Amino acid sequence: MAVPARPSRPSRPGAPPGPGRRPGAGRENAAGWLFVAPVVVILGLFMVLPILMALWVSLTAWNGQGSPFRAGVEVVGAQNYTRLFTEDSLARQDFMTSVRNNAYYVAFVVPLQTALALFLALVVNNRMLRGKTFFRTAFYFPSVTSSVAISVVFLFVFANSGAVNGLLGLFGVSGPQWFSDSRGVLHLLLSGLGIADIDAPPAALTSGGPFGLTWWDWLSGPSVAMCSIIALVVWTTSGTFMLMFLAALQDIPVQLEEASKLDGAGRWQRFRYVTLPMLRPTLFLVLTLGLIGTWQVFDQIYVMSQGDPAKTTLTPAYLSYRTAFRDFDYGSGAAISFVLFLIIVLLTLAQRWLLRGRGGGRI
C-alpha cells in the first residue's frame, strides 16, 4: 500500500531560503578577494614567481650570462640534482661534507640555545628577582646586534692571542688555533679516550661509507672551528627565544602552580608536570624556528670562515652561494638550495610528529 506523501510545510515569511547558495554570498566572496588581492599580488610577484624562476634555473646549465629563459640555455633536467647524490664527483663530496657539517651544527645549536633560552626565561620570570628589566635587556641585547659585527668581534675573541686562549692560559691550558683547526671534536674525544688515533684511524671506518664520504668522516663531529661559530650562534639567538618562553610562562595561570604546591609537588615536579606541558606549543615554535635558522646559516660562515679550514665549516647555504656566484654554476647552486628546502620541510614535519606523538595531542 502506497503511503501518501507528506505535504510540505509552507515557508514562514522572512525565513531564510532552503539548501543552496545563500543570497549575497557572491558579493561577500568578491569583497573578500578584493581585500586580500594586494597581499596575493605582492606574494605572487616577490615570492612565488622568484621561486618558480629559481626552480627553472635549477633545471638548466645557466652560467649567469644573459637571461636564463632565452632559447640558447641548455636544459639538463634533474642532472643538477642527481649528481649531488649519485655521481662520484667533487660536487657530491662537497655537498655531503656541507650536509655533515650542518647536521652536527644543528645537533649542537638547537638543544643548547633552547635549553639556555628556557633557563634565562625561568630566571627572569622569578618573582623574587630584582631588576627584571635590566636582565631582560641584557639577555636580549645580543639578538638585536648585527650578526656581522658580532662575528667580527668573535674573530678577535677566538684569535690565537685572544681573550678565550688568554683565559685558558690562566688555567695552564694551551688553547687551539680556533679558526685554523679542522679536527673534529668527536675524533679528539675518541683519541683522548684511547679508542682511536686521529692520524691512523681504524681501517674499517676508512674503507667505505655512504655518499662519497667514509664512516670516519661522518663520525668526525663539528670541527674546532665550527665550535667557535656554535658558541657565537647560541649566545646571539637565545635572547629572542627567551622572550618567547617568557611570554608563555607569564601566560600560565597562577592557580595551577598554587594547586600543585597544595598537592605537595616540589619545584622539579612542578616544572616537569605543570610548566613544561603548558609550554609545548611554544617549545614546538622555538624548536621549529631554531631548526630552520640553523639549516639556513650563512652570514656567520661568510664572515668568519667561508667554509675553511679544510671545508669543515662549509654549509649547504654557503655552498649554494659559492657554487652560483663564485663558480658561476647557477643551475647547481639553485639545485642545492631546493634540496636544502626539502631537508628543512622533512625535518620540520618529523619534529612535529615526534612532539605530537609524545604528548598525545595536537600542537
Side-chain angles (χ1 to χ4, degrees):
M1 180 177 179
V3 179
R6 184 178 181 181
S8 60
R9 179 181 298 180
S11 60
R12 293 180 288 105
R21 189 177 181 87
R22 182 168 54 87
R27 291 193 299 271
E28 292 181 2
N29 292 337
W33 279 108
L34 181 62
F35 280 110
V36 301
V39 176
V40 172
V41 172
I42 292 174
L43 291 178
L45 289 177
F46 296 101
M47 189 177 71
V48 179
L49 184 59
I51 290 175
L52 295 178
M53 295 172 64
L55 181 61
W56 168 256
V57 171
S58 69
L59 303 176
T60 67
W62 184 51
N63 60 359
Q65 300 296 323
S67 172
F69 306 103
R70 56 187 173 88
V73 176
E74 180 185 1
V75 179
V76 297
Q79 181 179 345
N80 291 329
Y81 293 91
T82 56
R83 70 176 181 173
L84 295 177
F85 298 94
T86 59
E87 295 184 10
D88 188 10
S89 61
L90 181 62
R92 185 181 71 168
Q93 183 178 359
D94 287 347
F95 177 70
M96 291 303 164
T97 300
S98 69
V99 171
R100 178 204 63 183
N101 298 337
N102 216 147
Y104 280 116
Y105 175 85
V106 172
F108 277 75
V109 170
V110 173
L112 289 176
Q113 71 182 7
T114 304
L116 180 59
L118 180 57
F119 172 75
L120 295 178
L122 292 172
V123 171
V124 176
N125 193 54
N126 191 348
R127 300 175 185 176
M128 305 301 295
L129 180 67
R130 296 182 178 180
K132 293 184 179 181
T133 304
F134 168 77
F135 287 105
R136 280 200 304 264
T137 304
F139 295 152
Y140 183 64
F141 183 75
S143 300
V144 298
T145 308
S146 170
S147 61
V148 175
I150 294 183
S151 299
V152 174
V153 171
F154 263 64
L155 286 175
F156 291 99
V157 171
F158 282 90
N160 297 339
S161 58
V164 174
N165 283 349
L167 181 63
L168 293 176
L170 297 178
F171 298 94
V173 179
S174 179
Q177 298 180 357
W178 292 94
F179 292 103
S180 301
D181 198 333
S182 61
R183 296 174 299 174
V185 294
L186 293 184
H187 286 176
L188 293 175
L189 178 62
L190 293 176
S191 178
L193 296 176
I195 300 176
D197 187 2
I198 296 180
D199 298 325
L205 297 178
T206 58
S207 57
F211 300 113
L213 298 181
T214 64
W215 289 110
W216 180 251
D217 293 331
W218 284 108
L219 298 175
S220 64
S223 65
V224 176
M226 182 64 86
C227 288
S228 60
I229 301 177
I230 290 174
L232 162 67
V233 174
V234 170
W235 179 63
T236 56
T237 57
S238 298
T240 301
F241 297 139
M242 176 203 69
L243 292 183
M244 297 181 184
F245 280 125
L246 181 61
L249 287 172
Q250 293 177 349
D251 196 43
I252 298 177
V254 182
Q255 294 81 356
L256 291 178
E257 183 178 357
E258 294 177 350
S260 62
K261 288 182 179 180
L262 293 177
D263 291 338
R267 180 176 300 179
W268 168 249
Q269 291 175 324
R270 294 197 304 270
F271 174 74
R272 180 178 179 183
Y273 296 107
V274 178
T275 304
L276 278 183
M278 297 295 292
L279 293 179
R280 283 187 66 247
T282 305
L283 181 63
F284 173 76
L285 175 63
V286 169
L287 290 176
T288 301
L289 294 178
L291 186 70
I292 295 173
T294 49
W295 274 106
Q296 293 178 341
V297 59
F298 173 80
D299 45 356
Q300 293 88 353
I301 302 298
Y302 180 83
V303 174
M304 302 179 73
S305 64
Q306 297 192 357
D308 295 327
K311 300 179 181 179
T312 56
T313 60
L314 186 66
T315 60
Y318 182 78
L319 179 62
S320 175
Y321 160 79
R322 192 184 71 177
T323 303
F325 296 99
R326 290 190 178 182
D327 301 338
F328 301 103
D329 188 356
Y330 289 85
S332 297
I336 293 173
S337 65
F338 277 99
V339 173
L340 177 60
F341 169 75
L342 182 61
I343 291 174
I344 293 174
V345 170
L346 293 178
L347 291 178
T348 303
L349 293 176
Q351 175 181 286
R352 177 181 176 85
W353 178 79
L354 288 174
L355 287 179
R356 184 173 62 177
R358 293 187 63 182
R362 296 180 60 87
I363 295 178

